[in-house]
Amino acid sequence: MSARGALRVLGGATVALFVALAFTPLTNLLYRAYVPPATPPEPAAAIVVLGAGVDNGVLTDSSLRRAFGGVALFRQGLAPLLVMLGPGGAGRSEAEVRVRLALDLGVPAGALLPDPRGRTTRDEARVSWEDLAPRGARRILLVTASEHMPRAAALFRRAGFEVVPAAVDDEPGGTSRPQARLDLARNLLRELLARAYNRVAGYL
Amino acid sequence: METAFILVVTALSTLAAALAARRRARRSLRSAMGRALETIGLGAVFLCVNIGLGFGLILLVRVVTGRFASLYKNDDVTILAVSMLQALVFQWWREPEER
C-alpha cells in the first residue's frame, strides 16, 4: 500500500473512531467495563480527597467536585478527619484553597489536614500514609473521579491503607452528550495509559 | 437529542455547501474525500508523534534534572488542534502548485 493509501485508511479509521466515541454509546460501554459500580460510602477513620489541579488559586472543576464530595462525606459524619491534598503552582496550593473552602462550608479547622506534597497519585498515597499512619487511621474513604478510582485505590492499598471508594463523577457514565462522551473517552484513555505506565514502572 | 441536533445542523450545512460548489467543483467528491482522509490521517500521525515526544521529553526532564514534571502537561486538548494544523500545512506544502 502506498503512503497516501495508508494515510487514507488511517484517516478513515480516525473519523470512524471519532463518530463511534462521540455519537454512539461505545464510550458509555467502555466506561461501564472499566469503572466498577459505585457502592454506598461506609464509616472510616479519615476522608482523603485527591488533588485534581488549581490554576492561579482557582480550583479546577474536577478539584472542586472532589472537595465538595469530601466535605459532604464529612458532614454525613462518616469520618472525623478530612485530608485535603493537592500541590501548589503559582500562589496558594490546591490543598490550602480546598481547606479554605471547607472552613467556609462549616468544617471545623481541627478536623482538616492539608498536605500539598503529593504531585502524583503514588506520591499522594505515600504522603497520606505518612500523615495518617501515626494517627492509627488506616481505613480511609478515598475521594477521586470514578475513572481514576481503580488505579488510585490500588496505589493506596499498596501503601498500606484499607480503602473505601467514594467516587465522584467528572462526567456521568451514562451521558449522551457528544462532548461529554469525548471527555469521558479521553479520561478513560489517560487512565489506561497511566495504569500501563504504573505497571511498567513497578508501582502497581 | 444533542447528537441528532448536531447531525441535522451539519447535514444541512453540507447540503448547502454541496449545492453552492457543485458547478465550480474541479475534482470529484470521491477524490476530495480521499484527500480529506489523507489530511486527517496525517493529523493522527502528528498527534501520536506529538504525544509520544511530549511523554519522552517529560520523562527525560525527570531523569536528567531530578525535578518533577507532570505527564498531564501532555493532556491539553489544544494539542489536537495544533496537530491538525500541522497536518493541513504539511499536506498543502506537498501538493503541486496550482497554476
Side-chain angles (χ1 to χ4, degrees), chain A residues 8-28:
Chain A
R8 285 183 188 204
V9 170
L10 182 60
T14 304
V15 172
L17 185 65
F18 167 75
V19 170
L21 291 176
F23 297 111
T24 75
L26 175 64
T27 305
N28 311 95

Side-chain angles (χ1 to χ4, degrees), chain A residues 73-98:
Chain A
L73 292 170
F74 180 85
R75 297 294 295 261
Q76 289 168 41
L78 289 168
L81 186 63
L82 181 54
V83 183
M84 291 293 197
L85 302 174
R92 287 188 298 168
S93 71
E94 183 182 0
E96 289 168 319
V97 177
R98 285 168 149 189

